[in-house]
Amino acid sequence: MALEDNSGGSNYATMRFKPESEHGANNGLKIARDRLEKVKQEFPWISYGDLWTLAGVCAVQEAQGPKVPWRPGRIDGYDHHCTPDGRLPDGSKAQDHLRDIFYRMGFNDQEIVALSGAHAMGRCHTDRSGFDGPWTFSPTTFTNDYFKLLFDEKWSWRKWNGPAQFTDSKTKSLMMLPSDMSLTKDKEFKKHAKAYANDADLFFKEYVVSLPHSSPSSKR
Ligand code: HEM
């Protein structure tokens, strides 16, 4: 969301519409939207914004992550509510870019680091972002492994024909984006990333309060 005008975020669920559905950073999310369309058909009274966010908090919980408080109230909007491209973070960039993107939405350094811990789950796909591979060995489980691996493994540039990304020297099966690595390089980011690597409970707790869950349309 933009703090100035309260636009963006899950309210209105504008990612259903062009041009937002075609923003590069949304590549692959049609797969998730289509899955949830089946639930929407069965329960047509729920708004898309409520359905998508509820699916998100359920997924984190089912993956053994924290229970994220959730409440309904988002409404469906129209294509003219679509947000402009360029508001989402770019994995090929580092701390200055992350701050530009997240500060605009009202997040602070600690929240940027906590939210990045979601990369414990899932993976990158060459046909979506161009990057390749998972961040952790257990990509269907919500853990603090992302932070542990950032510090415990030795990371080097992957030698390949794709966009610049890091690979772990030991198994060469994991990946980190340049944006992920910046969490270990920037002094302020590093402080939080280290704390989460050392304390999974702290990560869970701060992840939950960093999410923009407190009201349907805005973070605060
Ligand atoms: C900090 C800035 C961030 C950057 C630069 C970034 C970048 C990316 C990229 C490039 C991918 C790979 C997409 C693909 O190829 O399929 C990805 C996937 C993912 N991101 Fe982020 N992301 C960021 C923050 C976040 C946040 C805040 C969350 C959630 C709280 C998140 C959750 C995920 C998840 C779960 C996936 C895996 C998707 C899948 O398995 O298909 N990311 N991210």
Side-chain angles (χ1 to χ4, degrees):
M1 99 242 41
L3 283 181
E4 319 84 71
D5 60 3
N6 229 9
S7 65
S10 52
N11 198 33
Y12 295 157
T14 46
M15 211 210 295
R16 289 170 294 154
F17 306 119
K18 285 182 193 174
E20 201 174 325
S21 56
E22 292 177 344
H23 290 172
N26 289 333
N27 266 353
L29 292 176
K30 185 176 187 308
I31 299 164
R33 291 197 301 276
D34 286 350
R35 283 259 175 122
L36 291 174
E37 190 56 40
K38 292 179 193 129
V39 183
K40 173 77 177 173
Q41 296 310 317
E42 200 175 331
F43 304 98
W45 44 263
I46 194 169
S47 69
Y48 281 99
D50 280 350
L51 177 64
W52 294 351
T53 53
L54 183 59
V57 303
C58 289
V60 168
Q61 192 176 313
E62 288 301 303
Q64 295 166 46
K67 278 196 175 170
V68 178
W70 177 90
R71 65 182 189 185
R74 297 156 197 81
I75 57 168
D76 290 337
Y78 299 94
D79 56 359
H80 69 262
H81 293 119
C82 276
T83 50
D85 202 358
R87 285 185 176 185
L88 291 171
D90 176 344
S92 68
K93 298 194 171 144
Q95 58 267 37
D96 292 353
H97 167 74
L98 294 185
R99 289 196 169 98
D100 282 348
I101 292 286
F102 283 88
Y103 282 2
R104 192 188 61 80
M105 296 186 278
F107 294 103
N108 62 31
D109 286 350
Q110 177 251 306
E111 292 168 327
I112 294 171
V113 178
L115 291 175
S116 299
H119 284 170
M121 296 197 65
R123 58 175 296 130
C124 294
H125 306 79
T126 49
D127 59 338
R128 300 181 196 169
S129 62
F131 296 105
D132 178 42
W135 290 269
T136 69
F137 293 110
S138 56
T140 56
T141 313
F142 195 98
T143 62
N144 68 335
D145 286 1
Y146 166 82
F147 296 110
K148 284 200 209 160
L149 290 161
L150 265 175
F151 292 103
D152 292 351
E153 297 306 317
K154 199 169 163 285
W155 297 95
S156 49
W157 291 106
R158 175 166 167 183
K159 292 183 184 64
W160 75 317
N161 230 345
Q165 65 175 65
F166 291 86
T167 187
D168 70 302
S169 304
K170 215 184 286 163
T171 72
K172 295 197 170 18
S173 63
L174 302 178
M175 69 93 59
M176 288 289 168
L177 300 164
S179 57
D180 296 311
M181 286 308 287
S182 76
L183 305 187
T184 67
K185 303 220 163 80
D186 180 85
K187 204 171 144 234
E188 190 61 24
F189 282 170
K190 185 177 176 182
K191 187 177 81 186
H192 300 292
K194 258 254 143 329
Y196 300 150
N198 292 333
D199 187 343
D201 290 343
L202 179 74
F203 166 51
F204 276 30
K205 200 172 127 258
E206 297 199 347
Y207 180 82
V208 169
V209 296
S210 299
L211 287 166
H213 66 261
S214 55
S215 93
S217 62
S218 69
K219 189 170 138 48
R220 292 193 174 88

